[in-house]
Amino acid sequence: MSFKTPANLQYLSSHEWILIDGDTATVGITDYAQDALGDVVYVDLPEVGTTFAAGAEFGVAESVKASSELYLPAAGEVIAVNGDVSQQTDLVNTDPYGKGWLVRIKLSGDKAPLLDAAAYTALVDSIKH
Amino acid sequence: MSEELLRTVLHGEHLRLNARMVEFGGWDMPVQYTGIIDEHRAVRERAGLFDVSHMGEFWVEGPDALAFLQHVTTADVSQLAIGHAGYALFCRPDGGVVDDLFIYRLGEQRYLLVVNASNIAKDWQWIQPFASNFAVTLGDASPVTALMALQGPGAEAVLASLIGDVAVTLLFHGVAETTLLGQSVIIARTGYTGEDGFEIFCANDHAVTIWQALLAAGATPCGLGARDSLRFEPCLALYGHELADDINPYEARLGWAVKLSKGEFVGSAALNDLKSNYTRRLVAFEVTGKGIARGGYAVQDTTCNPIGVVTTGMPSPTFGKPLGIALIARAEASEGNQIDIIVRDKPVRAVVVKYPFYQSRYKK
């Protein structure tokens, strides 16, 4: 099985993606992450206005089998939370880079070490061997 | 350290079905094919098929087979008629549980024991010293035996389409030696899902044919993920979670499987004392706060005193809410009692509810 890793995104080694657009960014979990987790049944996301350091835990996604902490690829303040995902958690599985996005942040500067699509694809391939 | 994982004879079938494979007790096993929730529903509503060939099978045969099993297990095996099966425990002299098992009586002096995959070597070593006092022959058939579990309200119809009346007439916990697709098999009306269903034992060589035929007859392939969520809802114990060497049967609510009236056996003296004198108990709980309880999480009373540990917890596919089983102080174990589960360092409120969550729907 091969996983989608869109070239316009950057990635954390803990399987979150970030789409940076000026001084704001959208964050979600990768196709590989949603597949590894299985059917997502709960997503715990922060309140709008919460601020986080780069790499900080900002929420949790839960499937029947496992919990997965969610880490923020860049420092910032949460300016929007995807309410659709709380109501319809399978969006994370069916459209992880689109309707399954998790939070939007206003960037405050710091970034965690980010991978480009090629480096992240190589990481996923090395996990799958 | 990268020791080669063991593979069941159906391993290639799992790969062909694009199963997600995981390590379980030293085995490379399917955790899911399409998804745990789909597979869970297939078993509650229709019929699911599991490869459980990793489980252990021991034969106990000889003139003292019954006397030996009376000595090493907690069950009253004298009550088990030929063609019937029953649940039992191996207990230590201190009453701790070595393993839980099913005993299938197939002849006057011939029994098949099915033990947990992760305990095969431990159980085999455990029973050897006792055997020397009995006229009994023990055989470990685990490496040459495949085992499939066909479970769900539709299991009878699926099996009947291949084997006819045998599937219909077999009683709850009944077991028969018969032929399926021209091959010798043992079929039992047993399982681990809280639904009606069958377990089918065969020689490794015949497993792929039977597996494919059962799928073609309408069963949905199901992995260990659904097996765990399905056994969790009716609170069927899983060794290493609800059972362990340092958990006794009364704590695990399995006192019904300990027949002290049958006479002395390994552990009986300690169990007789523990029966009215145990301090912890398994409880079922529902999380009422925000969070999901998972196995291993600590449990506190509402004033932050440690009272126990979660043994299994997950969002229940059938009930659509986070549920759990915990081993906690008996004083805190009554229904309606409020407890706190420590989820990522924060207390999350839960309430003790009726045990089990799901009433098993066996065909009796």
Side-chain angles (χ1 to χ4, degrees), chain B residues 23 26 70 222 364:
Chain B
E23 190 272 337
Q70 289 288 68
C222 296
K364 293 195 188 181

Side-chain angles (χ1 to χ4, degrees), chain A residues 100-125:
Chain A
W101 67 275
L102 299 177
V103 294
R104 285 209 175 92
I105 58 172
K106 184 169 170 41
L107 297 168
S108 63
D110 279 356
K111 291 190 180 67
L114 297 174
L115 306 173
D116 64 15
Y120 179 68
T121 303
L123 172 73
V124 168
D125 286 345

Side-chain angles (χ1 to χ4, degrees), chain A residues 11-61:
Chain A
Y11 301 87
L12 276 186
S13 59
S14 52
H15 310 291
E16 290 82 6
W17 55 264
I18 184 166
L19 175 63
I20 295 174
D21 180 16
D23 64 349
T24 66
T26 306
V27 173
I29 67 169
T30 66
D31 190 26
Y32 171 82
Q34 69 76 21
D35 184 76
L37 202 50
D39 305 322
V40 173
V41 293
Y42 287 89
V43 184
D44 187 15
L45 295 175
E47 307 270 323
V48 169
T50 316
T51 59
F52 292 96
E57 183 183 325
F58 71 95
V60 183

Side-chain angles (χ1 to χ4, degrees), chain B residues 179-198:
Chain B
T179 53
L180 175 59
L181 304 170
Q183 306 299 343
S184 297
V185 293
I186 296 169
I187 298 182
R189 199 157 203 151
T190 51
Y192 190 50
T193 59
E195 302 299 333
D196 183 30
F198 301 86

Side-chain angles (χ1 to χ4, degrees), chain B residues 167-178:
Chain B
V168 179
T169 55
L170 197 63
L171 301 170
F172 176 66
H173 282 186
V175 57
E177 289 180 275
T178 182

Side-chain angles (χ1 to χ4, degrees), chain A residues 35 44 62-64 66-67, chain B residues 20 37 290 292 294 322 344:
Chain A
D35 184 76
D44 187 15
E62 310 245 14
S63 67
V64 173
S67 295
Chain B
R20 167 184 306 290
I37 294 175
K290 195 176 165 192
I292 311 276
R294 303 283 182 182
R344 284 180 281 279

